[in-house]
Amino acid sequence: MTEPSYSLPTIRLKPKSNARAIRHGAPWVYDNELVTDRRTKAIAPGTIARLEDAEQNFLALVAVNPNSRIFARVLDRDEAGVIDAAWFRAKLATALAHRETLFEAPFYRLVHAEADGLPGVVIDRFGDTCVVQPNAAWADVLIEPLAEALREVTGVTTVVMNGTGRARGLEGLEEKTEILSGKVDEPIPVPMNGATYMADLMGGQKTGLFYDQRPNHAFAQRLVAGKKVLDVFSHVGGFALASLAGGAASALSVDSSAAALDLAEKGADAMGKSAVFSTRKGDAFDVMAALAEEGETFDVVICDPPAFAPSKPALEKGLRAYERVARMAAPLVREGGYLGLCSCSHAADLEKFRTACNRGIGRGVGHLGRSAQLIHTGFAGADHPLMPQLAESGYLKALFYRILP
């Protein structure tokens, strides 16, 4: 825990840095915005410090990591603030109140990083278990008091730390996954939109399940009654299981992970839908090409790939990949059917993603004399709030098209 702010180390903005942005809510300070000397560079990653403007006026209490381009993350704008157990409890209680307003059952994203006042921290809740992703050095240092406050505020018995992923690498943090309290014996069944998903909290992707697609699953359910559905990049069943819960006649899940598809099959079995659910393991592009060769078509095709453009340097390559997905998926949709295309890339904004998809659809079915209409644009759910000053928090986009004759 930290001491009163007057005893903390101090870092200072350069004279030409934008102090006003910090005062108006910007959550990050980059290394090139600060006066960095031998003393500041020697501050241990995860240390809480005072941030001042060039005139030595207090701006915020921040978490410092000299190993990251994001040198400081804003924690509190109160100079008298103390980052202690009570501070954690207050942040978590505020986050919990919002989720309990939204959901009857305790299955949701509980903390969405900066937007919930815990920068770099993601917490997903699975009933009596929470999975914490401490993607910033300060949260790694304070993981034990954070976990203790989490148990006190929510009443969960099991807390898992999932310290994997690209974000931790950017912070210079090691990868590790461990159970901080309680136990995890097997995948946890998660009810969502009438479907049942099996979440592997110890060996699955991210925290074990993607709650962000919940509203897009719900929209897709309005399109699928009595229909044949293809779910590409399915993970543990994603849109396929949601479609079956929405009355689809059949659903096929495609993914490169045998473990993910096994969990999808277990979810379908738990729903009593095994007879109308099937899987196909393989590279998504290869499988889509094979389906086209086989003459297969579907009433609804939905593609939810991984982040092809996780950073600005990867943007152009990522947009080409999204275009390729759309080009290969569109011909698999029957005339009058629906195509859903998703992106979870921070670097690809909505306009760029939509342009790539439109181009891909045109190249995929334009030569057949067919066209498309964009019928719906979806985003992450309300348990994934956006921070207005942080464009990266609006990462998820879902475009739904109708493929016309």
Side-chain angles (χ1 to χ4, degrees), residues 221 224 239-251 268 271 273-274 276-277:
Q221 288 179 320
V224 301
F239 283 93
L241 297 185
S243 295
L244 292 175
S250 67
M271 296 166 59
K273 296 289 186 178
S274 293
V276 290
F277 178 69

Side-chain angles (χ1 to χ4, degrees), residues 219-220 222-223 336-340 372-378 398-404:
F219 179 79
R222 299 164 63 181
L223 311 175
Y338 297 96
L339 172 63
Q373 55 186 192
L374 179 61
I375 63 166
H376 178 73
T377 301
L399 305 177
F400 289 86
Y401 296 83
R402 189 173 186 221
I403 304 299
L404 302 173

Side-chain angles (χ1 to χ4, degrees), residues 1-9 48-50 61 79-83:
M1 298 300 178
T2 64
E3 305 193 13
S5 65
Y6 58 80
S7 65
L8 299 175
I48 310 302
R50 291 167 49 90
L61 296 178
E79 189 169 8
V82 179
I83 312 304

Side-chain angles (χ1 to χ4, degrees), residues 165-178:
R166 176 177 175 272
R168 284 180 64 84
L170 296 175
E171 285 277 297
L173 302 172
E174 67 174 335
E175 291 205 353
K176 58 180 179 179
T177 297
E178 59 181 319

Side-chain angles (χ1 to χ4, degrees), residues 194-242:
T196 299
Y197 297 91
M198 305 304 293
D200 180 359
L201 306 189
M202 299 302 295
Q205 294 183 39
K206 300 287 186 174
T207 62
L209 191 70
F210 298 108
Y211 283 129
D212 52 3
Q213 287 285 19
R214 188 191 318 245
N216 300 315
H217 289 166
F219 179 79
Q221 288 179 320
R222 299 164 63 181
L223 311 175
V224 301
K227 305 291 180 59
K228 180 182 177 183
V229 177
L230 171 65
D231 179 13
V232 185
F233 305 99
S234 173
H235 190 224
V236 297
F239 283 93
L241 297 185

